[in-house]
Amino acid sequence: MAPIGVQSLMHPDGELASAKVFGEMGLPFTLSTAASKGMKSVAEANGNSNPRWYQLYWPSDNDLTRSFLDTAKHNGYDVLVVTLDTWQLSWRPRDLDTGFFPFVQGIGTQIGLEDKCAHEKLGFDALAPGSTQEQKAIASLFHVLSTTRGISPRWENLKLLRELWGEKPIVLKGIQSVADAKLALEYGMDGIIVSNHGGRQVNGAIGSLRALPKIVDAVGGRMTIGFDSGIRCGADIFKALALGADFVQLGRPILWGLAHEGEKGARHVLRSLLADFDLTVGLSGCRGLSDIDRSCLATEDGEELKAYNRD
């Protein structure tokens, strides 16, 4: 599951439903810092032994960063996904036209509202009995301003995340160039996710699938490479894996199912995508995942692509 926040806008159960569904399948679920549910409740819905990842919108305050990561580790999140491309929200005309900013209403800020370090810095707990709506609005805005800080992350500061997270995997999300992929490897990261944030951050940014092959050629086999942005069907999963991705993340389709019928809808979409992918693998002449490579693909003019050696 890709890290998508404010899922309660789709359905009241929000991340509790999607986390449960991915837990049932034994597939990694990634919780966003902009989640509408807290880390503990999502972990409980996901199930004790299931793989959970935590996506960090890197706070400007190191104390908050430490607190978020400590809470994630305590609740069984084993992989840290650091989003690099959203240190500042982009210009989004549709949101501006409609005045859409759910965070000030306390939607998508639950992790900050529950955080003890944030309580100390604010001087109050906005979720405590007797707290006011004004306090909740202030705490929610504090969370947003702290995590979309308007300050670009710096490569040398990754050592702080390594100190706080320990030896567990750290994956950088939002890599779109070979140069940045090489830097991620140089700075000791365990993986990257090739992503343009679903096309929501930079207008006219290249598609992530276009960026993927060169990045795989540069660092493939030396670090784990994920792919995010644009997966809509089984064939999309197949293409990303054939181009060298080690895994893909699912986003909007899961939310469409969630919006349509909650947990049941999310489960139906996930099962459908997996079934579609399974059929695509077989119908493409592959006996399993190990058979999927670039030789299964062709360019627009019909030429086969040169195979990438995963070894």
Side-chain angles (χ1 to χ4, degrees):
M1 178 71 194
I4 300 182
V6 292
Q7 291 188 28
S8 63
L9 291 175
M10 306 294 120
H11 188 275
D13 292 341
E15 292 86 356
L16 300 181
S18 52
K20 180 181 179 182
V21 168
F22 273 76
E24 290 173 353
M25 302 288 185
L27 296 173
F29 176 86
T30 311
L31 181 68
S32 169
T33 296
S36 53
K37 307 295 181 182
M39 289 195 205
K40 182 179 179 180
S41 61
V42 171
E44 291 172 348
N46 184 239
N48 289 333
S49 60
N50 293 313
R52 284 189 294 281
W53 300 5
Y54 171 59
Q55 175 269 331
L56 179 71
Y57 283 130
W58 197 342
S60 52
D61 187 312
N62 289 340
D63 292 338
L64 287 173
T65 301
R66 180 179 293 103
S67 184
F68 288 178
L69 299 193
D70 284 347
T71 302
K73 287 188 289 185
H74 180 73
N75 285 284
Y77 295 83
D78 293 321
V79 176
L80 177 63
V81 178
V82 185
T83 296
L84 303 177
D85 56 15
T86 317
W87 49 269
Q88 176 69 59
L89 290 177
S90 64
W91 186 257
R92 300 179 179 180
R94 186 178 298 175
D95 291 354
L96 294 170
D97 288 345
T98 59
F100 179 75
F101 198 67
F103 306 107
V104 295
Q105 300 172 358
I107 304 173
T109 60
Q110 192 67 21
I111 287 176
L113 292 176
E114 293 183 359
D115 187 73
K116 292 182 179 180
C117 179
H119 299 166
E120 293 174 1
K121 291 183 178 293
L122 288 167
F124 61 84
D125 177 358
L127 298 179
S131 60
T132 66
Q133 284 300 115
E134 182 181 9
Q135 287 178 316
K136 186 174 183 180
I138 291 171
S140 295
L141 190 59
F142 176 76
H143 179 69
V144 174
L145 294 177
S146 298
T147 54
T148 53
R149 55 188 181 169
I151 303 172
S152 176
R154 300 183 63 86
W155 290 100
E156 55 266 28
N157 291 341
L158 287 171
K159 63 182 180 181
L160 172 64
L161 293 185
R162 178 58 73 189
E163 291 172 6
L164 297 177
W165 192 247
E167 295 303 313
K168 291 183 177 182
I170 300 178
V171 177
L172 301 185
K173 181 176 179 287
I175 300 295
Q176 287 277 95
S177 72
V178 168
D180 283 347
K182 289 181 176 179
L183 281 170
L185 185 64
E186 178 183 330
Y187 278 88
M189 298 297 99
D190 301 282
I192 58 175
I193 298 174
V194 180
S195 168
N196 64 9
H197 210 87
R200 303 186 69 228
Q201 274 299 94
V202 178
N203 192 17
I206 64 168
S208 296
L209 197 69
R210 180 175 294 182
L212 178 62
K214 290 183 179 180
I215 290 174
V216 169
D217 290 342
V219 300
R222 292 184 288 169
M223 67 190 320
T224 300
I225 301 174
F227 176 82
D228 170 76
S229 298
I231 298 294
R232 299 292 182 268
C233 63
D236 291 338
I237 300 173
F238 185 94
K239 292 172 188 176
L241 296 183
L243 289 173
D246 296 302
F247 68 90
V248 302
Q249 292 194 310
L250 306 175
R252 287 173 182 151
I254 304 300
L255 293 196
W256 296 335
L258 183 67
H260 181 67
E261 209 169 1
E263 177 190 319
K264 182 179 179 181
R267 182 181 296 108
H268 175 74
V269 170
L270 179 55
R271 285 178 172 175
S272 296
L273 283 168
L274 292 174
D276 183 12
F277 173 61
D278 185 60
L279 288 169
T280 301
V281 171
L283 292 172
S284 298
C286 300
R287 292 170 294 182
L289 296 180
S290 61
D291 288 343
I292 302 174
D293 60 27
R294 293 182 189 177
S295 67
C296 300
L297 306 178
T299 63
E300 289 183 352
D301 58 10
E303 293 184 5
E304 290 188 0
L305 298 180
K306 183 180 179 181
Y308 163 72
N309 185 358
R310 292 180 183 271
D311 299 327

